[in-house]
Amino acid sequence: MTYELPAPKGPMRDVALQGGFLIGFSVQALFGLVSAILRRRLSLHETVTQTLFIGRVSTGPSLLLMIPIGVFIAVSVGELAGRIGAGGYSGAVVAFIIVGQAAALVCALMMAGVAGSAICTDLGSRKIREEIDAMEVMGIDVVERLVAPRLVGAVIVSLALCAMVTFGGVIACYLYHIYVQNLPAGTFMATFSQYGRMSDFVMALVKASIFGLTSTLVATFKGLHAKGGPRGVADAVNEAVVIAFALVFIVNTALSALYTVMVPAVGSY
């Protein structure tokens, strides 16, 4: 297939056109990924290379972002809980906020803003250098060769990042609870274990993997459809980051509402 979009004929029509092409590309990419795995045509070398690349550019910023977020949550919660005499319940709040929401969203921001921009830049550069067209002329499936390994790598890195970010955020809040608020560690751990459920962590991993998949689909779509030289690549990267951010928050709202319906809150059963 040729990765070209029709000329826009107005803002609204352009949004509808790109939305439709993005949905079609996502379906094609997911089917191509499943087909490559079942037919054992997925490039292991490319998958490992992309996984290491995405992990290298995302791990450091994710941890550096999550630690101040964890401290900010600890400070805010500690001050509010101290005013109402509920300082011992900081572990419960950490379980709700960091494990339930913040960790997956931090992974989403990193995958969309850091890894997604790198993927879009790489594919966009190949597109304007006509490498994508050359691969098509040689009969190479671009989705199978370039998109599928990046999708697998993004999911793997998202799962690992979510686990590391959750651990880092909880540790930051735990240390603040002990050494700054001078509260006993037992109260933090008791409320954290009482309100922090394994299902919340599993849901955070599911969210992180879906966010990583969504961000990578948008980044690969915009990269493969870039045009207009280096400026077109830069525009494609900016558009990919903005679209990925918007889709991530929409998907997060839907998944959070679905999880609330499927899994009752603590104390309601």
Side-chain angles (χ1 to χ4, degrees):
M1 62 175 295
T2 302
Y3 295 96
E4 298 290 344
L5 292 176
K9 298 180 179 179
M12 297 303 297
R13 294 189 63 179
D14 186 33
V15 170
L17 183 69
Q18 293 216 25
F21 271 83
L22 175 58
I23 294 174
F25 174 82
S26 300
V27 173
Q28 179 195 9
L30 293 176
F31 272 106
L33 173 61
V34 174
S35 175
I37 294 174
L38 294 179
R39 296 164 58 189
R40 299 182 180 180
R41 293 175 58 90
L42 182 65
S43 174
L44 181 60
H45 178 268
E46 183 71 12
T47 302
V48 173
T49 301
Q50 293 303 319
T51 301
L52 294 177
F53 170 72
I54 296 173
R56 185 171 62 251
V57 300
S58 302
T59 302
S62 298
L63 294 177
L64 292 176
L65 179 62
M66 191 62 207
I67 291 175
I69 288 179
V71 173
F72 173 76
I73 293 172
V75 171
S76 303
V77 171
E79 181 180 356
L80 178 61
R83 291 181 180 180
I84 62 177
Y89 281 89
S90 57
V93 178
V94 169
F96 282 132
I97 298 178
I98 292 184
V99 179
Q101 294 292 336
L105 286 177
V106 167
C107 292
L109 295 177
M110 291 300 103
M111 293 303 298
V114 180
S117 60
I119 292 172
C120 185
T121 302
D122 179 30
L123 295 181
S125 301
R126 297 187 184 203
K127 175 63 178 177
I128 65 173
R129 291 198 302 263
E130 299 183 352
E131 293 181 18
I132 305 299
D133 298 333
M135 293 177 66
E136 289 188 307
V137 170
M138 291 187 293
I140 299 175
D141 190 341
V142 175
V143 171
E144 183 180 285
R145 183 66 178 83
L146 298 179
V147 178
R150 286 166 172 79
L151 294 178
V152 175
V155 172
I156 295 174
V157 173
S158 296
L159 293 173
L161 279 182
C162 184
M164 289 189 295
V165 163
T166 301
F167 178 77
V170 172
I171 289 297
C173 292
Y174 177 75
L175 295 177
Y176 180 85
H177 177 90
I178 296 175
Y179 295 106
V180 178
Q181 292 183 292
N182 295 318
L183 295 174
T187 57
F188 181 94
M189 296 305 300
T191 54
F192 181 81
S193 60
Q194 180 181 357
Y195 290 92
R197 299 169 296 179
M198 180 57 67
S199 60
D200 294 337
F201 180 64
V202 172
M203 187 60 187
L205 293 177
V206 172
K207 283 183 178 181
S209 61
I210 294 177
F211 294 160
L213 193 65
T214 302
S215 301
T216 307
L217 285 172
V218 174
T220 53
F221 170 77
K222 298 302 294 185
L224 290 175
H225 291 85
K227 58 182 178 180
R231 180 172 181 175
V233 175
D235 292 339
V237 171
N238 293 333
E239 293 174 4
V241 172
V242 173
I243 294 173
F245 280 170
L247 289 178
V248 159
F249 285 107
I250 293 173
V251 172
N252 179 64
T253 302
L255 291 177
S256 298
L258 181 62
Y259 178 70
T260 303
V261 173
M262 296 177 58
V263 181
V266 177
S268 62
Y269 52 89

